[in-house]
Amino acid sequence: MANLSLKHIYKVYPNGTKAVNDFNMQIEDKEFIVFVGPSGCGKSTTLRMIAGLEEISAGELKIGDVVVNGLEPKDRDIAMVFQNYALYPHMTIYDNIAFGLQMRKVPKDEIDRRVREAAEILGITDYLKKKPKEMSGGQRQRVALGRAIVREPKVMLLDEPLSNLDAKLRTQMRSEIVKLHKKLQTTFIYVTHDQVEAMTMGTRIVVMKDGFIKQIDTPKNLYKYPANKFVAGFIGTPQMNFFEGTILKDGDRVCINFANSQARLTVPYSALTKVIPHYLDGEHKVTIGFRAEDISLDPVKVEQSQAVVKVKVSHTEELGTETLVYGDINLDGDDFTDTGTRVIIKSGGFKEYESGEVVEAAFDIGAIHLFDSETEESILPRVPEYNYLNCTVSGNKLRTLGTEFDIPPAISCDDGEYELLLPVTALANGETKAKVIGCEKVSGSNLLSLDINGVMVFTISDLAQSNGEANIGIDFKQITLRRGGENVVQPLPLVNSLDATFIMEKVAEMDEMGKRKKKALYSFVIEGEKCVCPDEVCAKMFAAFSGRKVFNTSYTCEFSPYDFTVGESGITATIVGELDYSSERFLKCSLNGKEVYVRTDKPLTGEVKLIPDLNTVSVIEKDRQIRIV
Ligand code: ADP
């Protein structure tokens, strides 16, 4: 039993293939995690790094509280089950299961207890005296599981264990593995390319593509709230319907126009308040997604619906409990060319449609998905990043949300009207009354919708009181003011990037016996200034390289404005300005042509010496663009 922590894990193969990029995840004890994605997306590589079968190029992997980057597989308290179960043909099933324990010189009676217990759990007790060739594929896979179970590992790793089995057996083994997980109460990590397997087995699923995590979430959330078109298309059968189009807000209505089709939907804006507003201009190309079950041909639903589209039926597939109706929302379509207007509709029971028949379909607008056509990211995110508001600046007052806020000196802009981008994290404690009108739990935090003088805003915070009210203010260092498409006021940068190299020096030291001896001292040279490197950071630096290459590489060291102290010695920077946000002050400094922001308690001018806190540093290797610390 163990939790796992994967921080900024990378795998770069010697031939330069970047198989895994910046993999970050916390896995809780007893979770059943599934890595899923198309072939070559990096799921096996990630699993093999956890197993210790593949070296980790950069990043930190913890099993329990132990950093295991440097540990041999046998010392990691894991067991792995592969697709190819590779049983020893000349040994009995009993010996196949016992073999690993025998090699480890576990006492005989202990081996016997564990083998019999595992066989019992897996229902293969009657086969213990048989040889593998006398068993079916499913039974052999059970033996392979048995071999893993008897090791009583903290973490079970399974790499496509069912892909050699036929479809029926696979479905059966799937539920057996889920049961096994419940019985063993151990953390499971399971790799598959099959989304159905992922959806039916995982408590949480990691969807990967091209070495990147596309989303980590529960099966239900992946299905309901895909963060991008890739996840939306990968999860669910039949695949989500995607249409190209534009969306235009007109007062309190929104018009959804489908490209290459006469179809259009007009829906109340209240159904689409989370859409990033600049997509509502009728110009930006968007991808509109509806799942087959969110479109209905039921005449009653069509009658009641405000969102009806005509569909020309091409053919149907009767699956018993439901019928899949294939059609086109382009009534002039020729059924053959893929125009991006094709649609698949799930219709209950058996229903006959003529080919070429035009039917009316009701789209469930509450189940719409919208993506940027180019980036493919959701533009209707579950948690919006910003509240998009209008505001007026006059003197040191900012008017928005039906009230006025004092503008701190750090914000400088002309009087006038602006677009205000207020991050959902930027609502702080303050004096403006807000009413909580909604609360959605999203991965551990609360997404509140607030009514402030009749305007709705979202916030991620615990500001709400039990009576459903909140007193809010604005954290001005997070805001953006925009006019004519240009950012006039930008948020305070939270990352300062400095150039660095890594060095070793030999320094003389007295040992306990009073003898002089030489000791290696490791430092970063950051913008020309030597800063001693803490042991923990050093360990990560060495873990990322083999040999001396660590010293001949350029790095970017990242610090937040809170990670510097101003001292007598340190990196020299020239103060070029001060940002006073009333509750906090920051120095704007110039350092070798770069801008650096530093939190300060007192006003300062001229030159400062900055001492960065290397315990909180992030280090990026410039060559491979990988985060080492
Ligand atoms: P998956 O398990 O998702 O199918 P893998 O983790 O096996 O993907 O592979 C991820 C990527 O790394 C692929 O592009 C693959 O070609 C590459 N790769 C895997 N093993 C090696 C290796 N030993 N050397 C170089 N490239 C590799």
Side-chain angles (χ1 to χ4, degrees):
M1 281 174 279
N3 46 5
L4 281 89
S5 149
L6 293 99
K7 280 197 190 145
H8 302 297
I9 301 274
Y10 288 81
K11 178 67 193 186
V12 189
Y13 281 109
N15 67 0
T17 305
K18 235 178 175 183
V20 179
N21 283 280
D22 207 11
F23 194 107
N24 284 292
M25 186 176 188
Q26 299 297 316
I27 298 174
E28 300 301 325
D29 187 19
K30 302 187 189 127
E31 273 199 280
F32 194 131
I33 299 294
V34 180
F35 296 167
V36 70
S39 174
C41 69
K43 41 192 196 303
S44 294
T45 302
T46 310
L47 196 75
R48 292 169 60 81
M49 285 194 283
I50 298 172
L53 300 174
E54 206 68 74
E55 211 175 305
I56 297 173
S57 304
E60 182 189 84
L61 170 66
K62 273 187 182 171
I63 299 180
D65 298 327
V66 183
V67 177
V68 299
N69 287 52
L71 288 190
E72 292 287 319
K74 64 176 174 41
D75 301 325
R76 289 191 184 195
D77 245 336
I78 48 108
M80 190 147 168
V81 180
F82 298 92
Q83 169 180 350
N84 172 357
Y85 17 85
L87 304 181
Y88 298 107
H90 58 284
M91 288 188 195
T92 61
I93 298 308
Y94 185 101
D95 285 335
N96 263 289
I97 298 176
F99 186 69
L101 301 181
Q102 288 162 351
M103 296 306 285
R104 281 161 192 248
K105 309 253 183 308
V106 175
K108 258 205 164 120
D109 48 349
E110 173 70 12
I111 294 181
D112 192 60
R113 180 188 69 77
R114 290 201 207 173
V115 172
R116 291 190 186 282
E117 204 177 285
E120 193 61 34
I121 290 175
L122 295 163
I124 49 172
T125 307
D126 292 347
Y127 298 88
L128 286 175
K129 290 199 185 108
K130 298 201 167 168
K131 296 269 176 72
K133 67 171 186 296
E134 299 170 68
M135 301 183 82
S136 69
Q139 289 165 335
R140 282 185 221 175
Q141 190 52 285
R142 252 170 254 172
V143 178
L145 286 167
R147 229 170 14 187
I149 295 173
V150 291
R151 299 188 47 191
E152 300 181 346
K154 281 189 182 155
V155 186
M156 278 278 255
L157 305 175
L158 303 104
D159 192 353
E160 306 239 12
L162 306 184
S163 45
N164 278 353
L165 307 180
D166 64 46
K168 187 155 165 265
L169 202 51
R170 215 159 51 213
T171 316
Q172 187 191 336
M173 280 303 284
R174 210 197 277 158
S175 50
E176 289 195 16
I177 290 180
V178 172
K179 276 193 229 149
L180 181 65
H181 170 249
K182 290 217 175 87
K183 258 191 215 152
L184 295 181
Q185 297 278 312
T186 303
T187 313
F188 272 45
I189 307 178
Y190 188 102
V191 162
T192 177
H193 62 273
D194 180 346
Q195 61 99 9
V196 177
E197 224 165 86
M199 291 295 276
T200 49
M201 299 177 87
T203 49
R204 280 196 302 158
I205 299 172
V206 181
V207 184
M208 297 182 71
K209 184 190 177 210
D210 299 338
F212 288 91
I213 295 179
K214 298 301 282 186
Q215 192 169 353
I216 303 178
D217 220 323
T218 59
K220 181 173 142 209
N221 285 342
L222 285 182
Y223 192 79
K224 279 182 80 172
Y225 310 105
N228 45 66
K229 188 180 165 195
F230 177 76
V231 173
F234 192 76
I235 301 288
T237 19
Q239 206 197 45
M240 185 186 284
N241 294 294
F242 293 118
F243 311 99
E244 292 307 305
T246 54
I247 41 177
L248 176 67
K249 181 170 183 286
D250 183 9
D252 58 359
R253 317 283 298 163
V254 175
C255 184
I256 303 168
N257 284 303
F258 294 77
N260 306 315
S261 160
Q262 301 78 4
R264 58 154 51 193
L265 299 174
T266 305
V267 299
Y269 175 61
S270 58
L272 294 172
T273 43
K274 282 185 183 173
V275 175
I276 300 172
H278 68 264
Y279 288 96
L280 293 164
D281 61 357
E283 308 247 324
H284 276 83
K285 288 202 166 54
V286 302
T287 304
I288 304 155
F290 280 98
R291 294 200 186 274
E293 58 272 34
D294 297 326
I295 309 176
S296 174
L297 298 176
D298 179 351
V300 181
K301 286 207 177 139
V302 171
E303 173 75 20
Q304 291 166 349
S305 173
Q306 305 279 322
V308 175
V309 164
K310 284 199 166 64
V311 175
K312 188 166 83 173
V313 175
S314 77
H315 63 283
T316 58
E317 273 174 16
E318 282 167 9
L319 303 175
T321 51
E322 63 201 18
T323 303
L324 292 183
V325 181
Y326 289 73
D328 201 323
I329 60 165
N330 176 8
L331 305 183
D332 305 326
D334 58 9
D335 286 356
F336 293 106
T337 35
D338 188 2
T339 56
T341 53
R342 290 286 174 73
V343 60
I344 305 176
I345 301 167
K346 245 186 215 179
S347 162
F350 291 103
K351 195 103 205 298
E352 307 243 327
Y353 295 95
E354 295 289 320
S355 172
E357 185 181 345
V358 175
V359 293
E360 290 198 309
F363 284 54
D364 177 0
I365 203 70
I368 193 174
H369 299 271
L370 291 167
F371 307 96
D372 180 311
S373 287
E374 252 165 54
T375 66
E376 301 195 345
E377 294 300 312
S378 174
I379 60 166
L380 176 56
R382 188 168 184 210
V383 180
E385 189 176 3
Y386 295 106
N387 294 290
Y388 296 85
L389 303 166
N390 292 320
C391 73
T392 311
V393 172
S394 165
N396 64 347
K397 299 280 182 197
L398 182 142
R399 231 195 128 67
T400 190
L401 297 170
T403 183
E404 268 181 0
F405 297 89
D406 289 331
I407 301 180
I411 305 281
S412 101
C413 63
D414 296 337
D415 286 359
E417 314 243 313
Y418 294 91
E419 191 189 348
L420 166 63
L421 274 61
L422 182 65
V424 291
T425 52
L427 287 157
N429 268 313
E431 280 151 23
T432 300
K433 290 239 168 305
K435 217 162 53 200
V436 180
I437 51 175
C439 177
E440 200 181 325
K441 270 239 177 296
V442 187
S443 34
S445 38
N446 288 326
L447 176 69
L448 303 181
S449 24
L450 303 177
D451 176 339
I452 304 175
N453 300 314
V455 184
M456 195 186 77
V457 291
F458 291 103
T459 179
I460 287 273
S461 65
D462 301 319
L463 293 173
Q465 293 151 11
S466 53
N467 61 1
E469 289 189 352
N471 292 320
I472 61 106
I474 291 179
D475 178 3
F476 275 86
K477 68 176 186 299
Q478 295 192 46
I479 69 160
T480 304
L481 291 181
R482 218 185 246 173
R483 182 148 69 180
E486 226 172 276
N487 291 349
V488 180
V489 168
Q490 308 248 37
L492 176 79
L494 285 180
V495 178
N496 295 300
S497 300
L498 304 179
D499 294 331
T501 53
F502 189 65
I503 60 162
M504 179 191 68
E505 294 163 294
K506 289 265 162 88
V507 289
E509 202 185 54
M510 294 284 186
D511 66 10
E512 312 89 65
M513 312 295 287
K515 268 217 314 277
R516 283 169 69 86
K517 63 172 208 202
K518 291 243 170 118
K519 183 187 169 223
L521 184 70
Y522 300 99
S523 309
F524 279 106
V525 179
I526 303 174
E527 302 289 344
E529 186 69 30
K530 204 159 70 190
C531 309
V532 175
C533 184
D535 289 346
E536 208 175 283
V537 177
C538 278
K540 289 181 189 170
M541 294 295 291
F542 288 114
F545 295 93
S546 49
R548 294 185 52 82
K549 193 159 185 297
V550 64
F551 302 118
N552 301 319
T553 305
S554 341
Y555 304 96
T556 302
C557 284
E558 291 183 345
F559 300 96
S560 92
Y562 299 91
D563 296 337
F564 294 103
T565 41
V566 174
E568 298 287 301
S569 61
I571 308 166
T572 308
T574 311
I575 298 172
V576 293
E578 198 205 44
L579 298 170
D580 179 356
Y581 288 99
S582 299
S583 56
E584 289 177 297
R585 272 169 206 264
F586 298 86
L587 301 172
K588 179 177 174 181
C589 305
S590 162
L591 204 174
N592 296 335
K594 293 186 224 15
E595 274 177 9
V596 175
Y597 294 85
V598 179
R599 165 82 215 266
T600 179
D601 294 326
K602 46 182 187 283
L604 291 168
T605 52
E607 278 197 345
V608 275
K609 306 276 187 191
L610 302 177
I611 307 161
D613 180 359
L614 278 163
N615 292 302
T616 57
V617 69
S618 284
V619 182
I620 292 155
E621 187 208 323
K622 286 190 184 169
D623 257 6
R624 294 185 287 178
Q625 272 302 308
I626 61 176
R627 190 177 290 269
I628 295 174
V629 181

